[in-house]
Coordinates of all heavy atoms in Angstrom, one line a residue:
M1 N 102.2 82.4 98.5 CA 101.8 83.3 97.5 C 100.3 83.0 97.2 O 99.9 81.9 97.2 CB 102.6 83.2 96.2 CG 104.0 83.6 96.4 SD 104.6 84.8 95.2 CE 104.4 83.9 93.7
R2 N 99.6 84.1 96.9 CA 98.2 83.9 96.6 C 97.8 84.9 95.5 O 98.1 86.1 95.5 CB 97.3 84.0 97.8 CG 95.9 83.5 97.5 CD 94.9 83.7 98.6 NE 95.3 83.0 99.9 CZ 94.5 83.1 101.0 NH1 93.4 83.8 101.0 NH2 95.0 82.5 102.1
R3 N 97.0 84.4 94.6 CA 96.5 85.2 93.5 C 95.3 86.1 94.0 O 94.4 85.6 94.6 CB 95.9 84.4 92.4 CG 95.4 85.0 91.1 CD 94.8 84.0 90.2 NE 94.3 84.6 89.0 CZ 93.1 85.2 88.9 NH1 92.3 85.3 89.9 NH2 92.7 85.7 87.7
V4 N 95.5 87.4 93.8 CA 94.5 88.3 94.3 C 93.8 89.1 93.1 O 92.8 89.8 93.3 CB 95.0 89.4 95.3 CG1 95.5 88.7 96.5 CG2 96.2 90.1 94.7
Y5 N 94.3 89.0 91.9 CA 93.8 89.8 90.8 C 94.2 89.2 89.5 O 95.3 88.7 89.4 CB 94.3 91.3 91.0 CG 93.7 92.2 90.0 CD1 92.4 92.7 90.1 CD2 94.5 92.7 89.0 CE1 91.9 93.6 89.1 CE2 94.0 93.6 88.0 CZ 92.7 94.1 88.1 OH 92.2 95.0 87.2
G6 N 93.3 89.3 88.5 CA 93.7 88.9 87.2 C 93.0 89.7 86.1 O 91.8 90.1 86.4
S7 N 93.7 90.0 85.1 CA 93.1 90.9 84.0 C 93.9 90.6 82.7 O 95.0 90.2 82.8 CB 93.2 92.3 84.4 OG 92.8 93.2 83.4
F8 N 93.3 91.0 81.6 CA 94.0 90.9 80.3 C 94.7 92.3 80.1 O 95.4 92.5 79.1 CB 93.1 90.6 79.2 CG 92.5 89.2 79.2 CD1 91.2 89.0 79.4 CD2 93.4 88.1 79.2 CE1 90.7 87.7 79.5 CE2 92.9 86.8 79.3 CZ 91.5 86.6 79.4
D9 N 94.4 93.2 81.0 CA 94.9 94.6 80.8 C 96.2 94.7 81.6 O 96.1 94.9 82.8 CB 93.8 95.6 81.2 CG 94.2 97.0 81.0 OD1 95.4 97.2 80.6 OD2 93.4 97.9 81.1
L10 N 97.3 94.8 80.9 CA 98.6 94.8 81.6 C 98.7 96.1 82.5 O 99.2 96.1 83.6 CB 99.7 94.8 80.6 CG 101.2 94.9 81.1 CD1 101.4 93.6 81.9 CD2 102.2 95.0 80.0
V11 N 98.2 97.2 82.0 CA 98.2 98.5 82.7 C 97.4 98.3 84.0 O 97.8 98.8 85.1 CB 97.7 99.6 81.8 CG1 97.6 100.9 82.6 CG2 98.6 99.8 80.6
A12 N 96.3 97.7 83.9 CA 95.4 97.6 85.1 C 96.1 96.7 86.2 O 96.0 97.0 87.4 CB 94.1 97.0 84.7
V13 N 96.8 95.7 85.7 CA 97.5 94.8 86.7 C 98.7 95.5 87.3 O 98.9 95.4 88.6 CB 98.0 93.5 86.0 CG1 98.8 92.6 86.9 CG2 96.8 92.7 85.4
H14 N 99.4 96.3 86.5 CA 100.5 97.1 87.1 C 100.0 98.2 88.0 O 100.6 98.5 89.1 CB 101.4 97.7 86.0 CG 102.4 96.7 85.5 ND1 103.7 96.7 86.0 CD2 102.3 95.8 84.6 CE1 104.3 95.7 85.4 NE2 103.5 95.1 84.5
H15 N 98.8 98.7 87.7 CA 98.2 99.7 88.6 C 97.8 99.1 89.9 O 98.1 99.6 91.0 CB 97.0 100.3 87.9 CG 96.2 101.2 88.9 ND1 96.6 102.4 89.2 CD2 95.0 101.0 89.5 CE1 95.7 103.0 90.1 NE2 94.7 102.2 90.2
A16 N 97.3 97.9 89.8 CA 96.9 97.2 91.0 C 98.1 96.9 91.9 O 98.1 97.0 93.1 CB 96.2 95.8 90.6
R17 N 99.2 96.5 91.2 CA 100.4 96.2 92.0 C 100.9 97.5 92.7 O 101.4 97.4 93.8 CB 101.5 95.7 91.1 CG 102.7 95.2 91.9 CD 103.8 94.7 91.0 NE 104.3 95.8 90.2 CZ 105.4 95.6 89.4 NH1 106.0 94.5 89.3 NH2 105.8 96.6 88.6
N18 N 100.8 98.6 92.0 CA 101.2 99.9 92.6 C 100.4 100.3 93.8 O 100.8 100.8 94.8 CB 101.2 101.0 91.6 CG 102.2 100.9 90.5 OD1 103.2 100.2 90.8 ND2 102.0 101.5 89.4
V19 N 99.0 100.0 93.7 CA 98.1 100.2 94.8 C 98.5 99.4 96.0 O 98.6 99.9 97.1 CB 96.7 99.8 94.4 CG1 95.8 99.8 95.6 CG2 96.1 100.8 93.3
L20 N 98.9 98.2 95.8 CA 99.3 97.3 96.9 C 100.6 97.8 97.5 O 100.8 97.8 98.7 CB 99.4 95.8 96.5 CG 98.1 95.2 96.0 CD1 98.3 93.7 95.8 CD2 96.9 95.4 97.0
A21 N 101.5 98.1 96.6 CA 102.9 98.6 97.0 C 102.8 99.8 97.9 O 103.5 100.0 98.9 CB 103.8 98.9 95.8
S22 N 101.8 100.7 97.6 CA 101.6 101.9 98.3 C 101.1 101.6 99.7 O 101.2 102.4 100.6 CB 100.7 102.9 97.6 OG 99.4 102.4 97.6
E23 N 100.5 100.4 99.9 CA 100.0 100.0 101.2 C 101.0 99.1 101.9 O 100.7 98.4 102.9 CB 98.7 99.3 101.0 CG 97.5 100.2 100.5 CD 97.1 101.2 101.6 OE1 97.2 100.9 102.8 OE2 96.8 102.3 101.2
G24 N 102.2 98.9 101.3 CA 103.2 98.1 101.9 C 103.0 96.6 101.7 O 103.6 95.8 102.4
I25 N 102.2 96.2 100.7 CA 102.0 94.8 100.4 C 102.8 94.4 99.2 O 102.7 95.0 98.1 CB 100.5 94.6 100.1 CG1 99.6 94.9 101.3 CG2 100.2 93.1 99.7 CD1 98.1 94.9 101.1
G26 N 103.7 93.4 99.4 CA 104.5 93.0 98.3 C 103.7 92.0 97.4 O 103.0 91.2 97.8
A27 N 103.8 92.3 96.0 CA 103.1 91.5 95.1 C 103.9 91.4 93.8 O 104.8 92.2 93.5 CB 101.8 92.1 94.8
V28 N 103.7 90.3 93.1 CA 104.4 90.1 91.8 C 103.4 89.9 90.7 O 102.3 89.3 90.9 CB 105.3 88.9 91.8 CG1 106.5 89.2 92.8 CG2 104.6 87.6 92.3
V29 N 103.7 90.3 89.5 CA 102.9 90.1 88.3 C 103.4 88.8 87.6 O 104.6 88.6 87.4 CB 103.0 91.3 87.3 CG1 102.2 91.0 86.0 CG2 102.6 92.6 88.0
R30 N 102.4 87.9 87.3 CA 102.7 86.7 86.6 C 102.0 86.7 85.3 O 101.0 87.3 85.0 CB 102.3 85.5 87.5 CG 102.9 85.5 88.8 CD 102.4 84.3 89.6 NE 103.3 83.1 89.4 CZ 103.2 82.0 90.0 NH1 102.2 81.7 90.8 NH2 104.0 81.0 89.7
N31 N 102.6 85.9 84.3 CA 102.1 85.7 83.0 C 102.3 86.9 82.1 O 101.7 87.0 81.0 CB 100.6 85.3 83.0 CG 100.3 83.9 83.5 OD1 101.3 83.1 83.7 ND2 99.1 83.6 83.8
E32 N 103.1 87.8 82.6 CA 103.2 89.1 81.8 C 103.9 88.8 80.5 O 103.5 89.3 79.5 CB 104.0 90.0 82.7 CG 104.2 91.4 82.0 CD 104.9 92.4 83.0 OE1 105.2 91.9 84.1 OE2 105.2 93.5 82.6
I33 N 105.0 88.0 80.6 CA 105.8 87.7 79.4 C 105.0 86.9 78.4 O 105.0 87.2 77.2 CB 107.1 87.0 79.8 CG1 108.0 87.9 80.7 CG2 107.9 86.5 78.6 CD1 109.0 87.2 81.4
L34 N 104.3 86.0 78.9 CA 103.5 85.1 78.1 C 102.5 85.9 77.2 O 102.4 85.7 76.0 CB 102.6 84.2 79.1 CG 102.2 82.8 78.5 CD1 103.4 82.0 78.2 CD2 101.4 82.1 79.6
S35 N 101.8 86.9 77.9 CA 100.8 87.6 77.1 C 101.4 88.6 76.1 O 100.8 88.8 75.1 CB 99.8 88.3 78.1 OG 100.6 89.2 78.9
S36 N 102.5 89.1 76.5 CA 103.1 90.1 75.6 C 103.7 89.4 74.4 O 103.8 90.0 73.3 CB 104.1 91.0 76.3 OG 105.1 90.2 76.8
A37 N 104.1 88.2 74.6 CA 104.7 87.4 73.5 C 103.7 87.0 72.4 O 104.0 86.9 71.3 CB 105.4 86.1 74.0
A38 N 102.4 86.9 72.9 CA 101.4 86.5 72.0 C 101.1 87.6 70.9 O 100.6 87.3 69.8 CB 100.1 86.2 72.8
G39 N 101.3 88.8 71.3 CA 101.1 89.9 70.4 C 99.7 90.3 70.1 O 99.3 91.1 69.3
E40 N 98.8 89.6 70.9 CA 97.3 90.0 70.8 C 96.7 89.6 72.1 O 97.5 89.2 73.0 CB 96.7 89.2 69.6 CG 96.9 87.7 69.7 CD 96.5 87.0 68.5 OE1 96.7 87.5 67.4 OE2 95.9 85.9 68.6
L41 N 95.4 89.7 72.2 CA 94.8 89.3 73.4 C 95.1 87.9 73.8 O 94.9 86.9 73.0 CB 93.2 89.5 73.3 CG 92.7 90.9 73.5 CD1 91.2 90.9 73.4 CD2 93.1 91.5 74.8
P42 N 95.6 87.6 75.0 CA 95.9 86.3 75.4 C 94.7 85.4 75.6 O 93.6 86.0 75.9 CB 96.7 86.5 76.7 CG 96.2 87.7 77.2 CD 95.9 88.6 76.0
P43 N 94.7 84.1 75.4 CA 93.6 83.3 75.7 C 93.2 83.3 77.2 O 94.1 83.8 78.0 CB 94.1 81.9 75.3 CG 95.5 82.0 75.3 CD 95.9 83.4 74.9
A44 N 92.1 82.8 77.5 CA 91.6 82.9 78.9 C 92.5 82.4 80.0 O 92.6 82.9 81.1 CB 90.3 82.2 79.0
D45 N 93.3 81.4 79.6 CA 94.2 80.8 80.6 C 95.5 81.5 80.8 O 96.3 81.1 81.6 CB 94.4 79.3 80.4 CG 95.0 79.1 79.0 OD1 95.1 80.0 78.2 OD2 95.5 77.9 78.8
C46 N 95.7 82.6 80.1 CA 96.9 83.4 80.4 C 96.6 84.8 80.7 O 97.2 85.7 80.1 CB 98.1 83.2 79.4 SG 97.6 83.0 77.7
Q47 N 95.6 85.0 81.4 CA 95.3 86.3 82.1 C 96.6 86.7 82.8 O 97.3 85.9 83.4 CB 94.2 86.1 83.1 CG 92.9 86.8 82.7 CD 92.0 87.0 83.9 OE1 92.2 86.5 84.9 NE2 90.9 87.6 83.6
I48 N 96.9 88.0 82.8 CA 98.0 88.5 83.6 C 97.5 88.5 85.0 O 96.4 89.0 85.4 CB 98.3 89.9 83.1 CG1 98.7 89.9 81.6 CG2 99.6 90.4 83.9 CD1 98.5 91.2 81.0
E49 N 98.3 88.0 85.9 CA 97.9 87.8 87.3 C 98.8 88.6 88.3 O 99.9 88.8 88.1 CB 97.9 86.3 87.7 CG 96.9 85.5 86.8 CD 97.0 84.0 87.2 OE1 98.0 83.5 87.7 OE2 96.0 83.3 86.9
L50 N 98.1 88.9 89.4 CA 98.8 89.6 90.5 C 98.7 88.7 91.7 O 97.6 88.3 92.1 CB 98.2 90.9 90.8 CG 98.9 91.8 91.7 CD1 100.3 92.3 91.1 CD2 98.1 93.1 92.1
W51 N 99.9 88.4 92.2 CA 100.0 87.5 93.4 C 100.7 88.2 94.5 O 101.7 88.9 94.3 CB 100.9 86.2 93.0 CG 100.2 85.3 92.1 CD1 99.8 85.5 90.8 CD2 99.8 83.9 92.3 NE1 99.3 84.4 90.2 CE2 99.3 83.4 91.1 CE3 100.0 83.0 93.4 CZ2 98.8 82.1 91.0 CZ3 99.5 81.7 93.3 CH2 99.0 81.3 92.1
V52 N 100.0 88.1 95.7 CA 100.7 88.7 96.9 C 101.7 87.7 97.4 O 101.5 86.5 97.4 CB 99.7 89.0 98.0 CG1 98.9 90.3 97.6 CG2 98.9 87.9 98.4
L53 N 102.9 88.2 97.9 CA 103.9 87.3 98.4 C 103.5 86.6 99.6 O 103.9 85.4 99.9 CB 105.2 88.2 98.6 CG 105.7 88.9 97.4 CD1 107.0 89.7 97.8 CD2 106.1 87.9 96.3
S54 N 102.8 87.3 100.5 CA 102.4 86.7 101.8 C 100.9 86.4 101.7 O 100.1 87.3 101.5 CB 102.7 87.6 102.9 OG 102.1 87.2 104.1
D55 N 100.5 85.2 102.0 CA 99.0 84.8 102.1 C 98.3 85.7 103.1 O 97.1 86.0 102.9 CB 98.8 83.4 102.4 CG 99.2 82.4 101.3 OD1 99.7 82.9 100.3 OD2 98.9 81.2 101.4
A56 N 99.0 86.1 104.1 CA 98.3 86.9 105.1 C 97.9 88.3 104.6 O 96.9 88.8 105.2 CB 99.3 87.1 106.3
D57 N 98.5 88.7 103.5 CA 98.1 90.0 102.9 C 96.9 89.9 102.0 O 96.4 90.9 101.6 CB 99.3 90.6 102.2 CG 100.4 91.2 103.1 OD1 100.0 91.6 104.3 OD2 101.6 91.2 102.7
A58 N 96.6 88.7 101.6 CA 95.6 88.5 100.6 C 94.2 89.2 100.9 O 93.7 89.9 100.0 CB 95.4 87.0 100.3
P59 N 93.7 89.0 102.1 CA 92.4 89.6 102.4 C 92.4 91.1 102.2 O 91.5 91.7 101.6 CB 92.0 89.2 103.8 CG 92.8 88.0 104.0 CD 94.1 88.2 103.2
R60 N 93.5 91.7 102.7 CA 93.6 93.2 102.6 C 93.8 93.6 101.2 O 93.2 94.6 100.7 CB 94.7 93.7 103.5 CG 94.7 95.2 103.8 CD 95.4 95.5 105.1 NE 96.9 95.3 105.0 CZ 97.7 96.3 104.6 NH1 97.2 97.5 104.4 NH2 99.0 96.1 104.5
A61 N 94.6 92.9 100.5 CA 94.8 93.2 99.1 C 93.5 93.1 98.3 O 93.3 94.0 97.5 CB 95.9 92.2 98.5
E62 N 92.8 92.1 98.5 CA 91.5 91.9 97.7 C 90.6 93.1 98.1 O 89.9 93.6 97.2 CB 90.9 90.6 98.1 CG 91.6 89.4 97.4 CD 91.2 88.1 97.9 OE1 90.5 88.0 98.9 OE2 91.6 87.1 97.2
A63 N 90.6 93.5 99.3 CA 89.7 94.6 99.7 C 90.1 95.9 99.0 O 89.3 96.7 98.5 CB 89.7 94.8 101.2
L64 N 91.4 96.1 99.0 CA 91.9 97.3 98.3 C 91.6 97.3 96.8 O 91.2 98.4 96.3 CB 93.5 97.4 98.5 CG 94.0 97.8 99.9 CD1 95.5 97.5 100.0 CD2 93.7 99.3 100.1
L65 N 91.7 96.2 96.2 CA 91.5 96.1 94.8 C 90.0 96.2 94.4 O 89.7 96.7 93.4 CB 92.2 94.9 94.2 CG 93.7 94.8 94.4 CD1 94.3 93.5 93.8 CD2 94.4 96.0 93.7
R66 N 89.2 95.7 95.3 CA 87.8 95.8 95.1 C 87.4 97.3 95.2 O 86.6 97.7 94.4 CB 87.0 95.0 96.2 CG 85.7 94.6 95.8 CD 85.1 93.4 96.5 NE 85.5 93.4 97.9 CZ 86.2 92.4 98.5 NH1 86.4 91.3 97.8 NH2 86.5 92.4 99.7
F67 N 88.0 98.0 96.1 CA 87.8 99.4 96.2 C 88.2 100.2 94.9 O 87.6 101.1 94.5 CB 88.6 100.0 97.4 CG 88.4 101.5 97.6 CD1 87.2 102.0 98.1 CD2 89.4 102.3 97.3 CE1 87.1 103.3 98.2 CE2 89.2 103.7 97.4 CZ 88.1 104.2 97.9
E68 N 89.3 99.7 94.3 CA 89.8 100.3 93.1 C 89.0 100.0 91.9 O 89.0 100.8 90.9 CB 91.2 99.7 92.8 CG 92.3 100.3 93.6 CD 92.6 101.8 93.3 OE1 92.7 102.1 92.1 OE2 92.6 102.6 94.2
S69 N 88.2 99.0 91.8 CA 87.5 98.6 90.7 C 86.2 99.5 90.6 O 86.0 100.3 91.5 CB 87.1 97.1 90.7 OG 86.0 97.0 91.7
D70 N 85.5 99.4 89.5 CA 84.5 100.4 89.2 C 83.1 99.9 89.7 O 82.1 100.5 89.4 CB 84.4 100.6 87.7 CG 85.6 101.4 87.2 OD1 86.0 102.3 87.9 OD2 86.0 101.1 86.1
V71 N 83.1 98.8 90.4 CA 81.8 98.4 91.0 C 81.4 99.4 92.1 O 82.1 99.7 93.0 CB 82.0 97.0 91.7 CG1 80.6 96.5 92.2 CG2 82.5 96.0 90.6
P72 N 80.2 100.0 91.9 CA 79.7 101.0 92.8 C 79.5 100.3 94.2 O 79.1 99.2 94.2 CB 78.4 101.4 92.2 CG 78.3 100.9 90.8 CD 79.2 99.7 90.7
E73 N 79.6 101.1 95.2 CA 79.4 100.6 96.5 C 77.9 100.2 96.7 O 77.0 100.8 96.2 CB 79.7 101.8 97.5 CG 81.1 101.6 98.1 CD 81.4 102.7 99.2 OE1 80.9 102.5 100.3 OE2 82.1 103.6 98.9
G74 N 77.7 99.2 97.5 CA 76.4 98.7 97.8 C 75.8 97.9 96.7 O 74.6 97.5 96.8
S75 N 76.5 97.6 95.6 CA 75.9 96.8 94.6 C 76.6 95.4 94.5 O 76.6 94.8 93.4 CB 76.0 97.5 93.2 OG 77.4 97.6 92.8
V76 N 77.1 94.9 95.6 CA 77.7 93.6 95.5 C 76.8 92.5 95.5 O 77.1 91.4 95.1 CB 78.8 93.5 96.7 CG1 80.0 94.4 96.5 CG2 78.1 93.8 98.0
A77 N 75.5 92.7 96.0 CA 74.6 91.6 96.0 C 73.9 91.5 94.6 O 73.8 92.4 93.8 CB 73.5 92.0 97.0
P78 N 73.5 90.3 94.3 CA 72.9 90.0 93.0 C 71.6 90.8 93.0 O 71.0 91.2 94.0 CB 72.5 88.5 93.0 CG 73.5 87.9 94.0 CD 73.7 89.0 95.0
W79 N 71.1 91.2 91.8 CA 69.9 92.0 91.7 C 68.9 91.2 90.8 O 69.3 90.4 90.0 CB 70.2 93.3 91.1 CG 70.9 93.4 89.8 CD1 72.2 93.2 89.6 CD2 70.3 93.6 88.6 NE1 72.5 93.2 88.3 CE2 71.3 93.5 87.6 CE3 69.0 93.8 88.1 CZ2 71.1 93.6 86.2 CZ3 68.8 94.0 86.7 CH2 69.8 93.9 85.8
R80 N 67.6 91.5 90.9 CA 66.6 90.8 90.2 C 66.0 91.8 89.2 O 65.6 92.9 89.5 CB 65.5 90.3 91.2 CG 64.6 89.3 90.5 CD 63.7 88.6 91.6 NE 64.5 87.7 92.5 CZ 64.8 86.5 92.1 NH1 64.5 86.0 90.9 NH2 65.5 85.7 92.9
C81 N 65.8 91.2 88.0 CA 65.3 92.1 86.9 C 63.8 92.4 87.1 O 63.0 91.5 87.5 CB 65.4 91.3 85.6 SG 64.8 92.1 84.1
D82 N 63.4 93.7 86.9 CA 62.0 94.1 87.0 C 61.1 93.5 86.0 O 59.9 93.3 86.2 CB 61.9 95.6 87.0 CG 62.6 96.3 88.2 OD1 62.7 95.6 89.2 OD2 63.0 97.4 88.1
R83 N 61.7 93.2 84.8 CA 60.8 92.7 83.7 C 60.6 91.2 83.7 O 59.6 90.7 83.6 CB 61.4 93.2 82.4 CG 60.5 92.9 81.2 CD 60.8 93.8 80.0 NE 62.2 93.7 79.6 CZ 62.7 94.6 78.7 NH1 62.0 95.6 78.3 NH2 64.0 94.5 78.3
C84 N 61.8 90.5 83.8 CA 61.6 89.0 83.6 C 61.9 88.2 84.9 O 61.7 87.1 84.9 CB 62.6 88.5 82.5 SG 64.3 88.6 82.9
G85 N 62.4 88.9 85.9 CA 62.6 88.3 87.2 C 63.9 87.5 87.3 O 64.1 86.8 88.4
E86 N 64.7 87.5 86.3 CA 66.0 86.8 86.4 C 67.0 87.5 87.3 O 67.0 88.7 87.4 CB 66.6 86.7 85.0 CG 66.0 85.6 84.2 CD 66.2 84.2 84.7 OE1 67.3 83.9 85.4 OE2 65.4 83.3 84.4
E87 N 67.7 86.7 88.0 CA 68.7 87.3 88.9 C 70.1 87.4 88.2 O 70.5 86.5 87.4 CB 68.9 86.4 90.1 CG 69.5 87.1 91.3 CD 69.4 86.3 92.6 OE1 70.3 85.4 92.7 OE2 68.5 86.5 93.3
S88 N 70.7 88.6 88.3 CA 72.0 88.8 87.7 C 73.0 89.2 88.8 O 72.7 89.7 89.8 CB 71.9 90.0 86.7 OG 71.0 89.6 85.6
E89 N 74.3 88.9 88.5 CA 75.4 89.2 89.4 C 75.5 90.7 89.4 O 75.2 91.5 88.5 CB 76.7 88.6 89.0 CG 76.7 87.1 88.9 CD 76.5 86.5 90.4 OE1 77.1 87.1 91.3 OE2 75.9 85.5 90.5
A90 N 76.1 91.2 90.6 CA 76.1 92.7 90.8 C 77.0 93.4 89.7 O 76.6 94.6 89.4 CB 76.7 92.9 92.2
Q91 N 77.9 92.8 89.1 CA 78.8 93.5 88.2 C 78.1 93.7 86.8 O 78.6 94.5 86.1 CB 80.1 92.8 88.0 CG 80.1 91.4 87.3 CD 80.0 90.3 88.3 OE1 79.4 90.4 89.3 NE2 80.5 89.1 87.9
F92 N 77.0 93.1 86.6 CA 76.3 93.3 85.3 C 75.3 94.4 85.5 O 74.6 94.5 86.5 CB 75.5 92.0 84.9 CG 76.5 90.9 84.6 CD1 76.4 89.7 85.4 CD2 77.4 90.9 83.6 CE1 77.3 88.7 85.2 CE2 78.2 89.8 83.4 CZ 78.2 88.7 84.2
T93 N 75.3 95.3 84.5 CA 74.4 96.5 84.6 C 73.2 96.2 83.7 O 72.3 97.1 83.7 CB 75.1 97.8 84.1 OG1 75.7 97.5 82.8 CG2 76.3 98.1 85.0
Q94 N 73.2 95.1 83.0 CA 72.0 94.8 82.2 C 71.6 93.3 82.6 O 72.5 92.5 82.9 CB 72.3 94.8 80.7 CG 72.2 96.1 80.1 CD 72.4 96.0 78.6 OE1 73.6 95.8 78.2 NE2 71.4 96.1 77.8
C95 N 70.3 93.1 82.5 CA 69.8 91.7 82.7 C 70.4 90.8 81.6 O 70.3 91.1 80.4 CB 68.3 91.7 82.6 SG 67.6 90.0 82.6
W96 N 71.0 89.7 82.0 CA 71.6 88.8 81.0 C 70.5 88.1 80.2 O 70.8 87.6 79.1 CB 72.5 87.7 81.7 CG 71.7 86.8 82.6 CD1 71.5 87.0 83.9 CD2 71.1 85.5 82.2 NE1 70.8 85.9 84.4 CE2 70.6 85.0 83.4 CE3 71.1 84.8 81.0 CZ2 69.9 83.8 83.4 CZ3 70.4 83.6 81.1 CH2 69.8 83.1 82.2
Q97 N 69.3 88.0 80.7 CA 68.2 87.3 80.1 C 67.5 88.2 79.0 O 67.4 87.8 77.9 CB 67.2 86.8 81.1 CG 66.0 86.2 80.6 CD 66.2 84.7 80.3 OE1 67.2 84.3 79.8 NE2 65.3 83.9 80.7
C98 N 67.1 89.3 79.4 CA 66.3 90.2 78.5 C 66.9 91.4 78.1 O 66.4 92.2 77.3 CB 64.9 90.4 79.1 SG 64.9 91.6 80.5
G99 N 68.0 91.8 78.7 CA 68.8 93.0 78.3 C 68.3 94.3 79.0 O 68.8 95.4 78.6
L100 N 67.3 94.2 79.9 CA 66.9 95.4 80.6 C 68.0 96.0 81.4 O 68.7 95.3 82.1 CB 65.7 95.0 81.5 CG 65.1 96.2 82.3 CD1 64.2 97.0 81.4 CD2 64.3 95.7 83.5
V101 N 68.2 97.3 81.2 CA 69.2 98.0 82.0 C 68.8 98.2 83.4 O 67.7 98.6 83.7 CB 69.5 99.4 81.3 CG1 70.5 100.2 82.2 CG2 70.1 99.2 79.9
R102 N 69.7 97.9 84.3 CA 69.4 98.0 85.7 C 69.0 99.4 86.1 O 69.8 100.4 85.8 CB 70.6 97.5 86.5 CG 70.3 97.4 88.0 CD 71.6 97.1 88.7 NE 71.2 96.8 90.2 CZ 72.1 96.5 91.1 NH1 73.4 96.4 90.7 NH2 71.8 96.3 92.3
Q103 N 68.0 99.5 86.9 CA 67.6 100.9 87.4 C 68.4 101.1 88.8 O 68.5 100.2 89.6 CB 66.1 100.9 87.7 CG 65.3 100.7 86.4 CD 65.6 101.7 85.3 OE1 65.7 102.9 85.5 NE2 65.8 101.1 84.1
P104 N 68.9 102.3 88.9 CA 69.7 102.6 90.1 C 68.8 102.7 91.4 O 67.6 102.8 91.2 CB 70.3 103.9 89.9 CG 69.5 104.5 88.8 CD 68.9 103.4 88.0
Ligands
ZN1 ZN1 65.3 90.6 82.5

């Protein structure tokens, strides 16, 4: 088993599992009971997790789920801020240093 996805959003995790199921990849949701028992946002170490049953499916599962996420295509590389020159990870739409919004 290998972890391929984690989120605090139960709906998102179940959606991810459905995406994998539609591709014939078996996966299980973990920490679901833990987080719902808390009655509020779970702490960082009890993210709801999605694990594929077969390690061999993990690369394909990760590719599918990356496609499902909202990260636009072609923005996986870090980008450099025009104003202060700081490098930010692709998933950030604003410079972490000075707050400049990334230009497309
Ligand atoms: Zn900046």
Side-chain angles (χ1 to χ4, degrees):
M1 295 236 295
R2 193 184 297 180
R3 181 186 182 278
V4 292
Y5 184 73
S7 172
F8 294 116
D9 184 350
L10 183 62
V11 175
V13 176
H14 277 269
H15 174 70
R17 188 182 62 174
N18 290 339
V19 168
L20 298 188
S22 70
E23 294 291 325
I25 299 173
V28 293
V29 177
R30 303 180 88 177
N31 289 348
E32 182 176 1
I33 295 165
L34 206 62
S35 59
S36 57
E40 54 190 39
L41 280 181
D45 59 347
C46 39
Q47 250 193 356
I48 306 155
E49 297 180 336
L50 189 65
W51 290 63
V52 289
L53 299 177
S54 167
D55 284 9
D57 285 334
R60 197 156 69 93
E62 286 169 348
L64 283 165
L65 297 178
R66 203 158 34 235
F67 179 75
E68 281 292 311
S69 74
D70 290 325
V71 178
E73 265 186 71
S75 67
V76 289
W79 56 282
R80 194 169 289 280
C81 177
D82 290 337
R83 185 156 61 193
C84 71
E86 281 294 332
E87 200 168 83
S88 298
E89 296 296 326
Q91 67 266 34
F92 297 115
T93 55
Q94 273 185 290
C95 172
W96 64 270
Q97 175 84 318
C98 72
L100 183 74
V101 176
R102 184 185 188 183
Q103 300 303 313

